[in-house]
Amino acid sequence: KSSEVLYYHNPMWPGEGHSMKVKEILFNKKSKYQQVLVFESYSYGKVLALDDIVQLTEKDECAYQEMIAHLSLCSIPSPKKVLVIGGGDGGVLREISRHSSVESIDICEIDQMVIDVSKEFFPNLAVGFDDTRVQLHVDDAVKFLQQTPENTYDAIIIDSSDPIGPAQDLVEKPFFKTVASALKPGGVLCNQAESMWLHTHLIQDMLSVCLQVFKGSVQYAWTSVPTYPSGAIGFLLCSKDGPVDFLNPVNPLPFEAEKDLKFYNSQIHTAAFALPSFVKTELASM
Ligand code: AAT
């Protein structure tokens, strides 16, 4: 690190480094769980990093939050009860709020400092917390889901950090079993599923667990987020029991809502499931 450029090295992207030119460090403290850093960059606006891993930037957060929310909610008719795991910045809440069928949104974020920092530095994301349908639970998602009654949610969105640090258990089979159990019949999961360029084994492991745990459809989709390692991030879409046609959403956003979005639209939704040939091969070999 220098005072002007932050260099990120991490086992999540071995053999390469990422750097960003810094205008000003705005916040840098260790919470109970992780190092929380906010800085103003030259090219992507304000940036939130946790344990030296970029979680979002003002410029490209739309590509991630819009996709993780609408890929799932547009795929089932009339979602009413939604759970967000992680996502303490509020960006995914902001996106879920665009769905008028939704009656309640629970969010389980482990780290109060992420929420506080977002409210201070990222008002366009933290605005998600202002929706009266939102109920905040500051807790470990593993514990929260163990205590969640069966058949509670229409959709669960796992907007969690990488599986080092507090999110370590969120890629394990026992955790996915509690997720599946918390879903209502017909319910769906959208899970942050890492980079197809960097994390083949991690994706294969998650896919194999999800194929065992979810009895309906399981599909991989991806989007472009330039400040995430390799510039791409994926999502695993899973349905609890019956088949769901994730590629052709039954519940598209109304025109009025879609025109406020920066990234997601119905063409991008379907296109997100088109996989490069090497990824098809890797995932088919499971
Ligand atoms: N909205 C995009 C930002 C994130 S933040 C991921 C959040 O998951 C963090 O706030 C972190 O504190 C929270 N989290 C981590 N572990 C747990 C847990 N066990 N229970 C509840 N919340 C948790 C995601 C960015 C993805 C980046 C991919 N490289």
Side-chain angles (χ1 to χ4, degrees):
K1 281 182 195 175
S2 82
S3 56
E4 285 209 326
V5 180
L6 282 175
Y7 294 96
Y8 293 100
H9 295 277
N10 194 286
M12 289 297 290
W13 51 92
E16 54 187 289
H18 300 157
S19 60
M20 274 184 137
K21 194 164 182 209
V22 178
K23 245 184 212 168
E24 193 187 353
I25 304 264
L26 300 169
F27 184 95
N28 192 10
K29 277 199 188 125
K30 193 156 171 41
S31 74
K32 209 168 137 197
Y33 302 97
Q34 51 209 346
Q35 187 71 34
V36 180
L37 171 68
V38 179
F39 65 91
E40 180 78 43
S41 71
Y42 274 88
S43 38
Y44 281 89
K46 282 187 215 127
V47 180
L48 170 68
L50 299 177
D51 283 343
D52 282 350
I53 300 182
V54 171
Q55 305 293 306
L56 62 92
T57 80
E58 286 181 309
K59 183 169 173 173
D60 65 6
E61 55 93 4
C62 59
Y64 176 83
Q65 336 264 20
E66 291 181 13
M67 292 295 273
I68 202 171
H70 304 309
L71 284 177
S72 48
L73 298 185
C74 293
S75 295
I76 48 170
S78 197
K80 291 190 177 58
K81 269 184 85 66
V82 183
L83 170 67
V84 179
I85 299 297
D89 50 81
V92 174
L93 299 175
R94 179 193 70 204
E95 294 309 315
I96 297 168
S97 298
R98 300 185 198 277
H99 289 260
S100 55
S101 67
V102 170
E103 291 166 0
S104 74
I105 313 170
D106 286 333
I107 173 166
C108 175
E109 160 64 54
I110 202 168
D111 196 341
Q112 181 68 45
M113 193 184 280
V114 174
I115 299 162
D116 295 342
V117 151
S118 185
K119 288 187 173 167
E120 186 172 353
F121 298 104
F122 298 95
N124 290 335
L125 288 104
V127 66
F129 284 101
D130 295 344
D131 192 304
T132 52
R133 293 170 288 182
V134 171
Q135 180 78 43
L136 170 63
H137 309 264
V138 179
D139 205 347
D140 185 343
V142 172
K143 195 173 131 222
F144 182 84
L145 274 158
Q146 278 166 356
Q147 293 165 357
T148 302
E150 278 176 40
N151 304 335
T152 300
Y153 296 106
D154 297 295
I156 298 179
I157 296 172
I158 305 184
D159 175 21
S160 74
S161 31
D162 300 309
I164 35 176
Q168 213 162 342
D169 294 334
L170 308 190
V171 294
E172 304 294 343
K173 190 169 175 183
F175 177 71
F176 283 111
K177 279 187 166 168
T178 62
V179 171
S181 147
L183 283 172
K184 285 185 194 164
V188 291
L189 161 71
C190 185
N191 185 29
Q192 191 270 94
E194 304 297 348
S195 162
M196 60 190 182
W197 293 105
L198 297 170
H199 307 127
T200 307
H201 294 299
L202 198 49
I203 297 169
Q204 284 176 330
D205 288 351
M206 273 196 271
L207 181 61
S208 129
V209 166
C210 287
L211 285 167
Q212 292 165 41
V213 169
F214 294 90
K215 304 296 174 213
S217 313
V218 178
Q219 295 272 346
Y220 191 80
W222 63 283
T223 189
S224 144
V225 180
T227 57
Y228 283 169
S230 86
I233 192 146
F235 308 102
L236 260 181
L237 278 297
C238 309
S239 62
K240 174 167 174 145
D241 35 30
V244 167
D245 184 1
F246 286 116
L247 278 70
N248 298 294
V250 291
N251 180 32
L253 276 168
F255 173 76
E256 281 308 303
E258 200 173 282
K259 80 175 179 4
D260 292 335
L261 301 184
K262 290 193 196 140
F263 191 90
Y264 176 94
N265 57 48
S266 28
Q267 291 80 31
I268 288 264
H269 181 121
T270 304
F273 293 88
L275 303 182
S277 301
F278 81 92
V279 181
K280 279 193 196 177
T281 309
E282 284 168 1
L283 301 189
S285 69
M286 307 271 320

